[in-house]
Amino acid sequence: MLKIFGFPTFNLGKVLITAEELALNYEYVPLDPTRGEHKSPEHLKRHPGGKIPAIEHDGRPLFESAAIARYFANISKSDLYPEDPYKRAQVDQWLDYSVSHVGRWFSVYFWEKIIQKRYFAKDPNLEALKEADRFLAQHLPVLEKQLEKNTFLAHDNFSLADIFAFCHIDTHKETGIDISHYPQLSHWYQNINARKSILAYRKILKH
């Protein structure tokens, strides 16, 4: 039995979309952050930091979205995370780049323009947004250039790297980040946005 615990964030999206791509049989268990359910004793057994997402597979816990997604791909023997060492390293490098650089600054926007307003009734920190803009102007062209050569980020096959990058970039509509200046990235985004796994993921979060 596989259970996925979380509440709507781009990190939960990484895990749910991976599970949908692999057609895993799972139960999504929503947690309510306003009631502190992610800090409950039960959840702290799954994630000692009290964060999401976390899973239980046959009663065994696992946390961190990248670790979970890789685990899902490994147990499914999926090309989302290829067995070939070099191809796997290509997925890792673009996944890590997307999270550590591109995703980091999309996260700043998401925190300042969505989370601060929604949960703390605070205006965004404009200096933080300016800093994010400066770094996104450096990192988004890197993705654009890569996608001029490849259909997907790591190579010409859809992989975990695309799922992770997509989940961060998917916040651009809510946060107002403009990706239209990057035609290859925009095309890549639209192609992934039409995948069945994405449609299923969005349906899950509506319930």
Side-chain angles (χ1 to χ4, degrees):
M1 179 63 180
L2 173 60
K3 294 183 179 181
I4 300 174
F5 300 82
F7 48 81
T9 72
F10 43 78
N11 286 325
L12 174 66
K14 297 167 185 176
V15 171
L16 289 180
I17 293 168
T18 301
E20 288 294 328
E21 283 285 336
L22 297 170
L24 297 180
N25 182 21
Y26 69 92
E27 176 187 356
Y28 170 53
V29 183
L31 301 179
D32 186 347
T34 65
R35 298 174 60 186
E37 290 180 351
H38 58 307
K39 301 293 185 181
S40 69
E42 293 80 11
H43 189 66
L44 289 173
K45 293 178 182 178
R46 304 178 199 111
H47 194 312
K51 296 183 178 297
I52 60 95
I55 70 166
E56 287 180 0
H57 188 203
D58 294 334
R60 298 182 299 177
L62 195 65
F63 62 90
E64 289 300 304
S65 55
I68 295 168
R70 289 180 176 117
Y71 173 69
F72 285 172
N74 283 332
I75 63 176
S76 304
K77 299 187 183 302
S78 168
D79 284 342
L80 286 179
Y81 197 48
E83 291 188 8
D84 177 81
Y86 183 70
K87 289 183 177 180
R88 177 168 284 199
Q90 286 180 300
V91 172
D92 283 333
Q93 73 176 358
W94 285 106
L95 188 157
D96 292 345
Y97 188 86
S98 297
V99 172
S100 299
H101 301 290
V102 177
R104 174 184 176 184
W105 301 108
F106 270 86
S107 298
V108 170
Y109 255 89
F110 191 78
W111 173 262
E112 294 295 339
K113 299 195 76 172
I114 306 300
I115 300 300
Q116 290 280 60
K117 181 179 180 179
R118 183 178 297 168
Y119 295 108
F120 304 105
K122 291 184 178 180
D123 292 328
N125 181 326
L126 297 182
E127 288 302 315
L129 296 180
K130 287 180 182 178
E131 182 182 33
D133 283 336
R134 288 198 301 272
F135 281 101
L136 286 174
Q138 296 176 28
H139 297 307
L140 288 179
V142 175
L143 299 189
E144 179 73 8
K145 186 175 181 180
Q146 176 67 2
L147 292 168
E148 289 174 356
K149 301 181 294 182
N150 298 282
T151 305
F152 299 107
L153 283 174
H155 30 63
D156 283 329
N157 295 320
F158 185 71
S159 74
L160 294 182
D162 298 290
I163 294 174
F164 275 60
F166 175 86
C167 287
H168 286 285
I169 294 171
D170 190 42
T171 65
H172 77 278
K173 293 181 180 179
E174 282 188 284
T175 58
I177 297 174
D178 186 5
I179 66 170
S180 64
H181 303 297
Y182 305 99
Q184 297 301 325
L185 182 65
S186 297
H187 180 69
W188 166 90
Y189 173 83
Q190 292 301 330
N191 278 345
I192 295 177
N193 196 41
R195 294 180 74 91
K196 291 181 179 179
S197 61
I198 306 298
L199 300 177
Y201 154 67
R202 298 199 192 287
K203 185 176 180 179
I204 289 168
L205 294 191
K206 285 183 178 179
H207 292 290

